[in-house]
Amino acid sequence: MATKNIKLTKSCIIKKMQRLKDKVEKLEKDYKYSATMYGHYNRLMTIPSIIITSVSSIFSFLSSSEFVNEKFKNYCIISVALLTTISAMLQTINSSCEFSVKKIKFLEATHSFNHLSDKIFFEIQNADEENFVSEIEKEVEKIKNDCKFIPLSSKENKIFEKFKSSTI
């Protein structure tokens, strides 16, 4: 009877660890998605800004050149003013939204969750540590707190749930 309780307890612990592993893998997926999206947002702001700045430099050169007429120089000067304003706006938005910082934080969290998932996998195979589940849960909270940002999919789910509950 005692061995049956030990096996049952070990079986329950393994099931709990498997659920924990599933939770960690979902978090890893959410954080990886967020890192990818913030990387896209960063490039969406950075690449056009680089192109606009380059084109603006060309127009600036042409506006000071003696090989073009005055009317074209005036168009170049106006173009430089508009393009540099747009470029500055894109750079300011990118900087204030911190897309690159968010990407890095979510990538770090993704790697930490991946490491945690591996750790849980090996513990399921051996299942010899006491308090393993509570330690992993603490580590999950630490990773979330270190990231400082809410993953995009979690935000989307919360907004959807709030909208859903307000319309019913």
Side-chain angles (χ1 to χ4, degrees), residues 67-97:
F67 300 110
V68 294
N69 62 31
E70 284 300 313
K71 189 175 181 180
F72 187 73
K73 282 183 183 183
N74 290 336
Y75 288 134
C76 287
I77 291 170
I78 293 170
S79 298
V80 167
L82 290 173
L83 290 173
T84 54
T85 302
I86 293 169
S87 177
M89 182 183 66
L90 288 173
Q91 290 172 7
T92 302
I93 290 170
N94 194 23
S95 176
S96 66
C97 291

Side-chain angles (χ1 to χ4, degrees), residues 99-113:
F99 293 136
S100 61
V101 172
K102 289 178 182 179
K103 176 189 174 190
I104 291 168
K105 285 292 190 182
F106 281 115
L107 278 177
E108 289 171 355
T110 299
H111 294 303
S112 296
F113 284 129

Side-chain angles (χ1 to χ4, degrees), residues 19-142:
R19 284 193 303 270
L20 186 61
K21 185 176 185 299
D22 293 342
K23 178 183 174 183
V24 168
E25 286 174 348
K26 184 189 179 320
L27 287 169
E28 179 184 354
K29 181 181 170 188
D30 288 348
Y31 278 65
K32 185 176 182 177
Y33 170 77
S34 296
T36 302
M37 291 309 295
Y38 283 122
H40 289 307
Y41 297 156
N42 185 46
R43 284 190 299 279
L44 188 67
M45 294 291 172
T46 304
I47 293 172
S49 180
I50 292 169
I51 292 169
I52 290 170
T53 303
S54 300
V55 171
S56 177
S57 297
I58 292 169
F59 280 132
S60 178
F61 171 75
L62 290 174
S63 70
S64 64
S65 175
E66 295 177 8
F67 300 110
V68 294
N69 62 31
E70 284 300 313
K71 189 175 181 180
F72 187 73
K73 282 183 183 183
N74 290 336
Y75 288 134
C76 287
I77 291 170
I78 293 170
S79 298
V80 167
L82 290 173
L83 290 173
T84 54
T85 302
I86 293 169
S87 177
M89 182 183 66
L90 288 173
Q91 290 172 7
T92 302
I93 290 170
N94 194 23
S95 176
S96 66
C97 291
E98 298 182 317
F99 293 136
S100 61
V101 172
K102 289 178 182 179
K103 176 189 174 190
I104 291 168
K105 285 292 190 182
F106 281 115
L107 278 177
E108 289 171 355
T110 299
H111 294 303
S112 296
F113 284 129
N114 188 345
H115 174 72
L116 219 51
S117 180
D118 292 344
K119 195 173 179 180
I120 296 168
F121 172 78
F122 288 117
E123 183 61 25
I124 289 172
Q125 303 303 313
N126 297 331
D128 60 352
E129 258 187 70
E130 285 185 34
N131 303 329
F132 180 78
V133 173
S134 62
E135 288 175 20
I136 294 296
E137 287 172 343
K138 287 177 187 175
E139 285 187 51
V140 166
E141 287 305 313
K142 183 183 180 309

